[in-house]
Amino acid sequence: MSDKTMTADEVVSRLRSGMTLGIGGWGSRRKPMALVRALLRSDVTDLTIVSYGGPDVGMLAAAGRIRKLVAAFVTLDSIPLEPHYRAAREVGAFELMEVDEAMFMWGLRAAANRLPFLPVRAGIGSDVVRVNPGLRTVTSPYDDRETFVAMPALGMDAALVHLNRADRLGNGQCLGPDPYFDDLFCEAADTAYVSCERIVETAELTKDAPPQSLLVKRHTVTGVVEAPGGAHFTSCAPDYGRDEALQREYATTPWPEFAARYLGGGPHDRDPE
Amino acid sequence: MTVTRAEYCVIACAEAWRGDGEVLASPMGLIPSVGARLARRTFSPDLLMTDGEALLVGVDGTVEGWLPYRRHLALVTGGRRHVMMGASQIDRYGNQNISCIGDWARPKRQLLGVRGAPVNTLNNPTSYWVPRHSRRVFVETVDMVCGVGYDHADGAPYHRIPRVVSDLGVFDFATPDHSMRLASVHPGVTLAQVREATGFDLVVPDEVPYTREPTERELRLIREVIDPQNARSREVGA
């Protein structure tokens, strides 16, 4: 069986400008920040980003890498409004497909199931339909005749997710209380890259944790990156919580200055242990 | 002891969950959260609540269930939930906006995004909490319909907006055309104040009651057990 381990830069070397990238996690929670930082160091741009948005979206927006965003929100959780995302939206920096949280999930499920769409009782009556003129509805063929949004599949060229543990084959483990939608991102994308706090032997995955914690299966994974602290400054329960001080610094510092510190060889330009 | 405005707001929020039975109470914001916890400790003991993350917890914090986001979204569509959301704008039919101010294509102020407002409003009862009642919030027309109002719901089978609570009073949609009605004012608030702070013509009945007084036990629970640090007074002043 093949060893899929690689570095974050090797992951990014497989990505191309113009691709559709899914980013796992949720808001400022368990985001694959080491992979996002590697992406920011590269010249990959013109991206369509699919994300339950947090600082991943904010940073890529600040760096001008986004052509189109698919999202239900962008937030830093403890700081409700993402400053760089706001600034980018207020100058019309990229195209936006704004959908509801549940619509987003059903879009991932449709892609994971190779369906063109799934019906959702959300969006009807709201301006989500107005601002996405491409959205279509579907009427129940049964007696109720209810009309639903036909949420299109959110397929992706690549997904980036961060988990607590993984083995070299790509079996990924979530030890925190919420898996978010990382397995769905991996299933819905053509390729998927899992960074993790620690790569362990396969047998070690279930030594002290139940099999239900094995969230991501290897047949959906292309590459595995060992990145201790790889979600920092977002949270990665139970390994660590959010670094609120650095997040505040991120939210209040002009991007070029913060980027120099965060990406340009400063103290945060490596993944803290 | 004098009851503060914040405490009337807590009571008004708690009342949203009266009679709801065994459903998930999803309060967003501090005062709704104090209200939901008060309701569970008093007149609505069967409510389910989360720790704000992925766990369902009892009154004493005992974990009684697992509710990660994916299960949460399924619970929403199952309808056994009553959420109280915030609103950056709300109009006379209960359309709510938390996405952006101004033209969506290039907003004057980008806010959160639609979040789960569309799925919430079409699937489970959705109430709202507004800590500072003003014409900037209670508007003639919202800039982006996130939460669906009665004039947009078009007979959606599970659409219902039980109430809107602000720092001035309680509002509902119990009118023939479902336009917003003043259901009660908090003691110390005048009708003129409410009208002045509302950007559309509110339905005001001939007799407007005051928001009810908290009981002794409720006041003790709010002040000593649920919010002893008085965080509620930072969200709503005296």
Side-chain angles (χ1 to χ4, degrees):
Chain A
M1 283 198 274
S2 52
D3 184 324
K4 294 174 184 166
T5 53
M6 56 179 74
T7 65
D9 288 329
E10 280 167 345
V11 170
V12 171
S13 75
R14 292 156 173 256
L15 306 178
R16 296 284 170 267
S17 292
M19 275 188 168
T20 297
L21 296 187
I23 303 181
W26 174 287
S28 191
R29 306 169 196 212
R30 220 180 64 238
K31 284 288 175 179
M33 298 304 282
L35 297 179
V36 170
R37 279 204 298 282
L39 192 55
L40 286 164
R41 282 191 300 263
S42 79
D43 54 11
V44 174
T45 189
D46 195 35
L47 296 167
T48 294
I49 298 295
V50 179
S51 175
Y52 283 108
D56 53 329
V57 169
M59 287 184 184
L60 291 167
R65 306 297 180 90
I66 304 180
R67 183 182 64 76
K68 180 182 175 182
L69 175 69
V70 180
F73 57 81
V74 182
T75 180
L76 297 173
D77 293 297
S78 52
I79 301 170
L81 303 179
E82 218 293 344
H84 300 302
Y85 169 67
R86 296 190 77 173
R89 274 282 286 151
E90 289 166 14
V91 298
F94 49 76
E95 191 187 331
L96 176 64
M97 179 182 184
E98 182 170 357
V99 294
D100 168 273
E101 288 169 19
M103 292 172 70
F104 189 109
M105 177 182 76
W106 287 107
L108 294 179
R109 285 204 191 282
N113 289 280
R114 299 190 296 176
L115 291 169
F117 71 90
L118 278 168
V120 196
R121 188 185 288 117
I124 300 280
S126 80
D127 276 343
V128 163
V129 178
R130 173 176 65 90
V131 303
N132 293 291
L135 278 182
R136 296 287 176 263
T137 58
V138 61
T139 302
S140 165
Y142 299 105
D143 289 346
D144 57 276
R145 306 299 294 170
E146 190 176 343
T147 298
F148 301 91
V149 164
M151 179 61 200
L154 293 175
M156 295 160 281
D157 295 305
L160 309 176
V161 306
H162 183 78
L163 294 169
N164 302 97
R165 306 284 180 269
D167 66 11
R168 293 171 173 277
L169 308 175
N171 293 304
Q173 182 172 44
C174 170
L175 296 173
D178 201 320
Y180 309 124
F181 299 88
D182 290 355
D183 50 342
L184 276 179
F185 275 100
C186 294
E187 289 165 22
D190 295 341
T191 59
Y193 300 93
V194 176
S195 63
C196 65
E197 292 298 312
R198 198 147 57 79
I199 290 179
V200 298
E201 293 301 321
T202 306
E204 207 182 308
L205 289 168
T206 47
K207 218 174 95 205
D208 300 308
Q212 303 94 295
S213 62
L214 297 175
L215 181 68
V216 170
K217 289 151 200 52
R218 63 184 164 83
H219 71 286
T220 65
V221 173
T222 314
V224 181
V225 178
E226 185 166 58
H232 180 259
F233 53 87
T234 70
S235 62
C236 187
D239 289 310
Y240 45 89
R242 186 178 303 128
D243 183 341
E244 296 287 358
L246 187 62
Q247 174 159 291
R248 251 193 321 278
E249 193 179 319
Y250 162 73
T252 53
T253 309
W255 171 249
E257 205 180 304
F258 186 83
R261 238 179 278 164
Y262 196 68
L263 306 166
H268 296 299
D269 189 22
R270 64 195 154 74
D271 304 315
E273 295 294 329
Chain B
M1 247 186 316
T2 319
V3 179
T4 66
R5 179 69 58 80
E7 286 158 352
Y8 285 115
C9 291
V10 167
I11 291 298
C13 288
E15 285 288 335
W17 287 284
R18 186 185 285 276
D20 277 358
E22 205 158 19
V23 304
L24 179 72
S26 291
M28 302 189 180
L30 178 91
I31 283 185
S33 161
V34 176
R37 285 149 73 198
L38 180 69
R40 185 170 58 160
R41 283 175 177 273
T42 54
F43 49 79
S44 293
D46 293 334
L47 290 173
L48 290 90
M49 290 189 74
T50 73
D51 64 347
E53 304 269 335
L55 302 176
L56 290 167
V57 290
V59 169
D60 62 357
T62 303
V63 175
E64 62 167 339
W66 186 49
L67 196 69
Y69 283 120
R70 59 182 64 197
R71 301 294 298 274
H72 204 118
L73 290 171
L75 190 148
V76 170
T77 48
R80 295 184 187 185
R81 174 176 185 251
H82 183 168
V83 60
M84 184 174 275
M85 301 187 78
S88 302
Q89 294 178 322
I90 191 162
D91 71 16
R92 73 177 68 211
Y93 295 111
N95 296 292
Q96 167 253 29
N97 176 21
I98 48 172
S99 173
C100 64
I101 301 297
D103 179 18
W104 178 86
R106 189 161 173 179
K108 209 177 326 170
R109 294 290 277 165
Q110 174 64 42
L111 305 174
L112 269 177
V114 295
R115 291 222 65 150
V119 75
N120 288 345
T121 44
L122 256 58
N123 287 280
N124 59 215
T126 304
S127 293
Y128 296 105
W129 160 243
V130 177
R132 274 175 299 282
H133 192 131
S134 78
R135 284 172 177 261
R136 290 163 60 103
V137 180
F138 288 75
V139 294
E140 191 67 53
T141 313
V142 302
D143 294 340
M144 169 91 177
V145 176
C146 303
V148 176
Y150 281 97
D151 62 334
H152 283 79
D154 193 27
Y158 308 115
H159 176 267
R160 192 159 71 86
I161 309 174
R163 61 169 56 195
V164 177
V165 180
S166 80
D167 58 333
L168 299 184
V170 179
F171 308 83
D172 62 23
F173 300 90
T175 53
D177 71 341
H178 293 295
S179 68
M180 198 187 290
R181 179 188 82 128
L182 177 58
S184 74
V185 289
H186 304 324
V189 177
T190 66
L191 295 186
Q193 249 179 295
V194 177
R195 283 204 181 92
E196 176 55 36
T198 305
F200 53 84
D201 281 334
L202 200 58
V203 177
V204 179
D206 294 339
E207 296 283 322
V208 178
Y210 283 113
T211 304
R212 78 165 171 86
E213 296 295 321
T215 66
E216 290 278 323
R217 173 157 179 258
E218 286 171 338
L219 262 191
R220 191 177 55 74
L221 283 169
I222 295 169
R223 293 176 180 180
E224 294 170 24
V225 180
I226 301 173
D227 183 27
Q229 305 298 316
N230 198 15
R232 62 193 176 281
S233 70
R234 288 194 292 276
E235 190 157 288
V236 172

XYZ file of all heavy atoms in Angstrom, chain A residues 73-146:
583
model
N -21.249 32.048 5.184
C -20.813 33.080 6.137
C -19.295 33.090 6.124
O -18.663 32.137 5.636
C -21.303 32.777 7.567
C -20.843 31.432 8.076
C -19.563 31.264 8.596
C -21.669 30.319 8.019
C -19.121 30.027 9.044
C -21.235 29.072 8.466
C -19.956 28.924 8.973
N -18.714 34.153 6.669
C -17.285 34.159 6.991
C -17.168 34.802 8.354
O -17.666 35.905 8.573
C -16.446 34.944 5.950
C -14.972 34.879 6.307
C -16.666 34.380 4.539
N -16.555 34.108 9.307
C -16.484 34.614 10.680
C -15.218 34.123 11.368
O -14.653 33.095 10.998
C -17.727 34.167 11.494
O -17.618 34.686 12.834
C -17.820 32.642 11.582
N -14.791 34.891 12.386
C -13.684 34.444 13.231
C -14.214 33.912 14.571
O -13.452 33.738 15.511
C -12.694 35.602 13.465
C -12.003 36.133 12.199
C -11.181 37.393 12.529
C -11.097 35.069 11.589
N -15.519 33.688 14.669
C -16.181 33.170 15.875
C -16.103 34.134 17.056
O -17.075 34.817 17.337
C -15.653 31.775 16.268
C -16.034 30.721 15.244
O -17.236 30.478 15.066
O -15.132 30.164 14.597
N -14.941 34.220 17.715
C -14.844 35.135 18.858
C -14.836 36.588 18.382
O -15.120 37.501 19.149
C -13.599 34.828 19.693
O -12.453 34.794 18.861
N -14.478 36.819 17.148
C -14.627 38.125 16.487
C -15.620 37.860 15.354
O -15.277 37.233 14.363
C -13.280 38.638 15.929
C -12.259 38.768 17.071
C -13.468 39.963 15.188
C -10.839 39.044 16.605
N -16.886 38.298 15.538
C -17.932 37.842 14.609
C -17.658 38.174 13.139
O -17.915 37.356 12.272
C -19.194 38.554 15.112
C -18.915 38.903 16.531
C -17.429 39.120 16.630
N -17.161 39.346 12.855
C -17.002 39.752 11.458
C -15.541 39.663 11.028
O -14.655 40.185 11.694
C -17.539 41.172 11.255
C -19.013 41.372 11.667
C -19.444 42.818 11.447
C -19.943 40.423 10.928
N -15.290 38.989 9.901
C -13.932 38.777 9.393
C -13.480 40.041 8.654
O -14.028 40.373 7.596
C -13.944 37.588 8.428
C -12.760 36.664 8.481
C -11.440 37.262 8.016
O -11.438 38.323 7.360
O -10.406 36.654 8.299
N -12.499 40.770 9.167
C -12.192 42.096 8.602
C -11.702 42.075 7.161
O -12.080 42.942 6.365
C -11.129 42.659 9.547
C -10.589 41.477 10.288
C -11.677 40.464 10.344
N -10.864 41.107 6.799
C -10.323 41.105 5.429
C -11.381 40.677 4.416
O -11.427 41.190 3.303
C -9.092 40.200 5.344
C -7.998 40.641 6.259
N -7.435 41.896 6.203
C -7.379 40.013 7.295
C -6.513 42.015 7.143
N -6.465 40.884 7.820
N -12.221 39.748 4.827
C -13.341 39.345 3.967
C -14.272 40.539 3.740
O -14.690 40.815 2.609
C -14.098 38.182 4.608
C -15.417 37.883 3.932
C -15.457 37.376 2.637
C -16.626 38.111 4.586
C -16.668 37.113 2.010
C -17.839 37.842 3.969
C -17.853 37.353 2.678
O -19.058 37.098 2.065
N -14.577 41.253 4.822
C -15.451 42.427 4.709
C -14.876 43.430 3.718
O -15.568 43.924 2.835
C -15.568 43.158 6.061
C -16.217 42.373 7.134
C -16.492 43.280 8.318
N -17.660 44.117 8.051
C -18.211 44.901 8.948
N -17.699 44.997 10.164
N -19.268 45.611 8.654
N -13.588 43.726 3.911
C -12.950 44.740 3.066
C -13.004 44.313 1.608
O -13.319 45.122 0.721
C -11.501 44.942 3.519
N -12.745 43.036 1.345
C -12.744 42.546 -0.032
C -14.151 42.633 -0.640
O -14.327 43.054 -1.780
C -12.233 41.102 -0.069
N -15.160 42.256 0.143
C -16.541 42.317 -0.352
C -16.958 43.758 -0.640
O -17.675 44.027 -1.602
C -17.489 41.710 0.689
C -17.643 40.214 0.580
C -18.583 39.824 -0.551
N -19.994 40.084 -0.220
C -20.921 40.372 -1.123
N -20.620 40.450 -2.395
N -22.176 40.578 -0.746
N -16.510 44.678 0.222
C -16.958 46.065 0.090
C -16.313 46.773 -1.106
O -16.758 47.845 -1.502
C -16.745 46.818 1.416
C -17.737 46.338 2.482
C -17.413 46.771 3.910
O -16.569 47.676 4.091
O -18.017 46.208 4.847
N -15.269 46.190 -1.678
C -14.742 46.730 -2.940
C -15.091 45.811 -4.107
O -14.585 46.002 -5.225
C -13.202 46.974 -2.894
C -12.864 48.009 -1.836
C -12.435 45.680 -2.659
N -15.939 44.821 -3.862
C -16.356 43.920 -4.943
C -15.201 43.128 -5.529
O -15.090 42.956 -6.732
N -14.326 42.601 -4.646
C -13.078 41.992 -5.105
C -13.272 40.646 -5.799
O -12.414 40.230 -6.564
C -12.112 41.837 -3.921
N -14.368 39.953 -5.493
C -14.570 38.648 -6.139
C -16.048 38.330 -6.246
O -16.890 38.975 -5.618
C -13.837 37.532 -5.384
C -14.090 37.522 -3.895
C -15.280 37.056 -3.370
C -13.114 37.991 -3.024
C -15.510 37.046 -2.010
C -13.337 37.992 -1.654
C -14.523 37.524 -1.142
N -16.343 37.311 -7.038
C -17.703 36.828 -7.213
C -18.083 36.017 -5.983
O -17.228 35.351 -5.388
C -17.717 35.952 -8.471
C -19.073 35.557 -8.979
C -18.968 34.551 -10.133
O -17.948 34.573 -10.870
O -19.893 33.736 -10.273
N -19.363 36.073 -5.604
C -19.802 35.331 -4.417
C -21.027 34.496 -4.744
O -21.976 34.978 -5.353
C -20.136 36.319 -3.284
C -20.707 35.725 -1.989
C -19.699 34.816 -1.293
C -21.143 36.842 -1.020
N -20.993 33.219 -4.340
C -22.195 32.405 -4.344
C -22.564 32.237 -2.871
O -21.957 31.433 -2.155
C -21.947 31.035 -4.987
C -23.190 30.137 -4.988
S -22.829 28.509 -5.710
C -24.469 27.754 -5.688
N -23.505 33.065 -2.413
C -23.886 33.038 -1.002
C -25.084 32.118 -0.830
O -26.157 32.373 -1.368
C -24.214 34.451 -0.511
C -24.566 34.489 0.984
C -24.646 35.906 1.541
O -24.369 36.875 0.797
O -24.985 36.032 2.726
N -24.891 31.034 -0.084
C -25.978 30.082 0.167
C -26.108 29.845 1.664
O -25.239 30.224 2.445
C -25.736 28.731 -0.553
C -25.776 28.913 -2.063
C -24.428 28.087 -0.115
N -27.202 29.216 2.043
C -27.460 28.876 3.432
C -26.543 27.724 3.886
O -26.088 26.927 3.071
C -28.942 28.482 3.505
C -29.329 27.827 4.788
O -29.199 26.588 4.892
O -29.762 28.545 5.692
N -26.302 27.632 5.207
C -25.430 26.589 5.758
C -25.882 25.183 5.365
O -25.064 24.301 5.094
C -25.432 26.654 7.300
C -24.694 27.831 7.856
C -24.937 28.004 9.349
O -25.381 27.040 10.021
O -24.678 29.103 9.858
N -27.189 24.949 5.390
C -27.709 23.620 5.064
C -27.634 23.375 3.562
O -27.311 22.265 3.127
C -29.147 23.483 5.554
N -27.903 24.409 2.771
C -27.754 24.269 1.318
C -26.326 23.857 0.993
O -26.091 22.981 0.158
C -28.086 25.591 0.621
C -29.551 25.990 0.709
S -29.826 27.665 0.082
C -29.527 27.403 -1.671
N -25.387 24.496 1.653
C -23.962 24.195 1.454
C -23.695 22.719 1.752
O -23.080 22.010 0.951
C -23.156 25.101 2.392
C -21.672 25.094 2.176
C -21.033 26.192 1.638
C -20.896 24.009 2.547
C -19.652 26.211 1.463
C -19.515 24.008 2.374
C -18.895 25.117 1.818
N -24.198 22.241 2.886
C -23.979 20.839 3.257
C -24.571 19.894 2.208
O -23.941 18.911 1.825
C -24.593 20.536 4.619
C -24.450 19.062 5.013
S -25.221 18.649 6.586
C -26.951 18.611 6.155
N -25.789 20.215 1.730
C -26.417 19.343 0.745
C -25.707 19.422 -0.595
O -25.695 18.443 -1.355
C -27.917 19.623 0.627
C -28.650 19.104 1.833
C -29.198 19.833 2.838
C -28.845 17.716 2.180
N -29.737 18.979 3.794
C -29.531 17.677 3.411
C -28.502 16.513 1.565
C -29.885 16.494 4.037
C -28.847 15.323 2.194
C -29.541 15.321 3.423
N -25.054 20.554 -0.880
C -24.226 20.657 -2.082
C -23.027 19.720 -1.993
O -22.661 19.059 -2.976
N -22.409 19.647 -0.814
C -21.303 18.707 -0.608
C -21.796 17.267 -0.719
O -21.164 16.418 -1.347
C -20.655 18.913 0.768
C -19.924 20.227 1.037
C -19.375 20.235 2.461
C -18.788 20.429 0.039
N -22.953 16.989 -0.109
C -23.494 15.623 -0.145
C -23.820 15.205 -1.574
O -23.574 14.068 -1.966
C -24.750 15.512 0.722
C -24.466 15.498 2.212
C -25.603 14.811 2.988
N -25.463 15.007 4.428
C -24.606 14.332 5.192
N -23.825 13.420 4.668
N -24.542 14.575 6.485
N -24.393 16.139 -2.344
C -24.714 15.826 -3.739
C -23.440 15.434 -4.485
O -23.404 14.411 -5.174
C -25.395 17.025 -4.407
N -22.378 16.235 -4.315
C -21.120 15.938 -5.007
C -20.552 14.602 -4.539
O -20.092 13.793 -5.352
C -20.115 17.066 -4.772
N -20.614 14.342 -3.222
C -20.070 13.096 -2.685
C -20.846 11.892 -3.214
O -20.305 10.787 -3.308
C -20.106 13.121 -1.156
N -22.124 12.104 -3.538
C -22.972 11.017 -4.048
C -23.091 11.022 -5.571
O -23.905 10.289 -6.129
C -24.370 11.106 -3.422
C -24.369 10.727 -1.950
O -24.369 9.551 -1.619
N -24.315 11.706 -1.070
N -22.307 11.872 -6.214
C -22.316 12.016 -7.682
C -23.717 12.299 -8.212
O -24.124 11.805 -9.257
C -21.717 10.763 -8.345
C -20.269 10.543 -7.927
C -19.601 9.468 -8.753
N -20.229 8.167 -8.550
C -19.887 7.063 -9.206
N -18.947 7.108 -10.122
N -20.491 5.918 -8.948
N -24.459 13.104 -7.459
C -25.776 13.559 -7.913
C -25.646 15.001 -8.401
O -24.855 15.766 -7.846
C -26.779 13.516 -6.753
C -27.167 12.112 -6.261
C -27.936 12.200 -4.950
C -27.981 11.393 -7.328
N -26.410 15.413 -9.417
C -26.304 16.795 -9.895
C -26.859 17.807 -8.892
O -26.477 18.967 -8.883
C -27.132 16.792 -11.190
C -28.039 15.609 -11.074
C -27.328 14.592 -10.230
N -27.791 17.373 -8.063
C -28.392 18.279 -7.078
C -29.056 17.441 -5.990
O -29.260 16.229 -6.150
C -29.439 19.192 -7.731
C -30.702 18.466 -8.136
C -31.777 18.352 -7.247
C -30.818 17.868 -9.387
C -32.929 17.656 -7.608
C -31.968 17.181 -9.751
C -33.020 17.072 -8.852
N -29.424 18.106 -4.905
C -30.312 17.498 -3.904
C -31.354 18.538 -3.513
O -31.048 19.736 -3.456
C -29.522 17.036 -2.675
C -28.836 15.665 -2.812
C -27.851 15.434 -1.690
C -29.884 14.546 -2.846
N -32.601 18.102 -3.255
C -33.636 19.067 -2.872
C -33.446 19.522 -1.427
O -33.128 18.705 -0.547
C -34.936 18.269 -3.025
C -34.531 16.840 -2.870
C -33.104 16.723 -3.310
N -33.632 20.811 -1.193
C -33.438 21.390 0.138
C -34.612 22.297 0.471
O -35.001 23.133 -0.349
C -32.162 22.265 0.197
C -31.764 22.521 1.632
C -31.016 21.634 -0.565
N -35.161 22.155 1.693
C -36.180 23.088 2.145
C -35.477 24.267 2.808
O -35.523 24.465 4.005
C -37.175 22.445 3.107
C -38.351 23.384 3.410
C -39.300 22.840 4.457
N -40.103 21.748 3.953
C -40.042 20.506 4.430
N -39.229 20.218 5.406
N -40.798 19.566 3.923
N -34.764 25.014 2.021
C -34.072 26.219 2.491
C -33.784 27.039 1.262
O -33.502 26.489 0.195
C -32.776 25.862 3.192
N -33.857 28.337 1.421
C -33.545 29.217 0.302
C -34.797 29.786 -0.343
O -34.827 30.953 -0.720
N -35.866 28.961 -0.444
C -37.127 29.440 -1.012
C -37.601 30.657 -0.194
O -37.592 30.616 1.032
C -38.216 28.331 -0.932
C -37.779 27.079 -1.710
C -39.576 28.866 -1.402
C -37.972 27.133 -3.189
N -38.003 31.721 -0.894
C -38.518 32.908 -0.208
C -37.433 33.864 0.259
O -37.717 35.006 0.582
N -36.187 33.395 0.298
C -35.104 34.271 0.751
C -34.383 34.865 -0.458
O -34.564 34.410 -1.595
C -34.107 33.503 1.608
O -33.215 32.767 0.789
N -33.541 35.864 -0.203
C -32.801 36.497 -1.298
C -31.624 35.653 -1.770
O -30.920 36.049 -2.705
C -32.328 37.892 -0.881
C -33.419 38.941 -1.072
O -34.385 38.654 -1.799
O -33.301 40.041 -0.484
N -31.405 34.494 -1.150
C -30.411 33.563 -1.679
C -30.769 33.218 -3.118
O -29.909 33.103 -3.987
C -30.345 32.291 -0.805
C -29.640 31.156 -1.534
C -29.636 32.591 0.508
N -32.072 33.095 -3.387
C -32.521 32.781 -4.736
C -32.308 33.992 -5.666
O -31.888 33.846 -6.810
C -34.008 32.351 -4.717
C -34.503 32.061 -6.119
C -34.179 31.118 -3.832
N -32.531 35.194 -5.120
C -32.364 36.411 -5.942
C -30.899 36.618 -6.340
O -30.613 36.942 -7.492
C -32.862 37.641 -5.155
C -32.575 38.971 -5.860
C -33.171 40.172 -5.114
N -32.606 40.408 -3.805
C -31.542 41.184 -3.572
N -30.914 41.782 -4.574
N -31.085 41.345 -2.338
N -29.976 36.418 -5.388
C -28.572 36.732 -5.683
C -27.855 35.579 -6.380
O -26.703 35.720 -6.772
C -27.796 37.166 -4.410
C -28.477 38.362 -3.755
C -27.637 36.016 -3.419
N -28.531 34.437 -6.524
C -27.973 33.311 -7.280
C -28.954 32.938 -8.396
O -29.663 31.934 -8.294
C -27.762 32.091 -6.368
C -26.691 32.328 -5.325
O -25.509 32.434 -5.656
N -27.101 32.425 -4.069
N -29.011 33.759 -9.460
C -30.013 33.507 -10.502
C -29.854 32.140 -11.156
O -30.791 31.647 -11.780
C -29.783 34.648 -11.506
C -28.482 35.267 -11.153
C -28.197 34.956 -9.723
N -28.712 31.504 -10.991
C -28.515 30.174 -11.570
C -29.190 29.059 -10.787
O -29.319 27.938 -11.278
N -29.630 29.336 -9.557
C -30.274 28.296 -8.744
C -31.626 27.926 -9.344
O -32.398 28.797 -9.738
C -30.499 28.779 -7.310
C -29.350 28.711 -6.314
C -29.834 29.206 -4.955
C -28.784 27.295 -6.208
N -31.916 26.630 -9.370
C -33.197 26.165 -9.883
C -33.995 25.516 -8.755
O -33.432 25.113 -7.737
C -32.972 25.131 -10.994
C -32.263 25.692 -12.211
C -33.186 26.605 -13.012
N -32.504 27.236 -14.134
C -31.991 28.475 -14.097
N -32.084 29.210 -13.003
N -31.380 28.982 -15.150
N -35.297 25.403 -8.963
C -36.134 24.722 -7.973
C -36.591 23.388 -8.550
O -36.491 23.148 -9.758
C -37.362 25.569 -7.596
O -38.102 25.844 -8.770
C -36.951 26.865 -6.913
N -37.097 22.528 -7.685
C -37.609 21.238 -8.106
C -38.883 20.976 -7.306
O -38.950 21.312 -6.124
C -36.538 20.130 -7.914
C -36.131 19.998 -6.451
C -37.009 18.798 -8.454
N -39.889 20.449 -7.982
C -41.172 20.214 -7.320
C -41.332 18.720 -7.041
O -41.040 17.884 -7.905
C -42.328 20.715 -8.219
O -42.115 22.095 -8.474
C -43.673 20.547 -7.515
N -41.787 18.416 -5.861
C -41.992 17.023 -5.469
C -42.946 16.337 -6.454
O -44.009 16.871 -6.765
C -42.578 16.971 -4.053
O -43.094 15.682 -3.796
N -42.582 15.145 -6.937
C -43.471 14.426 -7.856
C -44.599 13.704 -7.109
O -45.455 13.093 -7.726
C -42.530 13.421 -8.518
C -41.498 13.144 -7.482
C -41.324 14.414 -6.701
N -44.594 13.771 -5.793
C -45.613 13.086 -4.988
C -46.758 14.048 -4.667
O -46.751 15.199 -5.069
C -44.965 12.496 -3.731
C -43.904 11.483 -4.101
C -42.559 11.785 -3.990
C -44.265 10.257 -4.665
C -41.593 10.870 -4.382
C -43.311 9.343 -5.059
C -41.965 9.649 -4.913
O -41.026 8.750 -5.321
N -47.725 13.564 -3.893
C -48.961 14.315 -3.706
C -48.768 15.692 -3.068
O -49.569 16.593 -3.267
C -49.946 13.502 -2.850
C -50.503 12.298 -3.619
O -50.323 12.285 -4.864
O -51.080 11.398 -2.997
N -47.714 15.859 -2.241
C -47.528 17.137 -1.538
C -47.194 18.280 -2.492
O -47.492 19.433 -2.214
C -46.409 16.998 -0.504
C -45.119 16.547 -1.141
O -44.937 15.318 -1.323
O -44.290 17.415 -1.487
N -46.538 17.980 -3.624
C -46.175 18.987 -4.645
C -45.355 20.148 -4.073
O -45.384 21.263 -4.617
C -47.434 19.551 -5.341
C -48.362 18.518 -5.944
C -47.732 17.685 -7.016
N -47.384 18.450 -8.209
C -46.640 17.982 -9.212
N -46.173 16.762 -9.151
N -46.372 18.740 -10.251
N -44.638 19.922 -2.988
C -43.852 21.024 -2.414
C -42.673 21.369 -3.330
O -42.102 20.494 -3.988
C -43.340 20.645 -1.012
C -42.731 21.848 -0.278
C -42.305 21.540 1.159
O -42.743 20.517 1.710
O -41.532 22.336 1.714
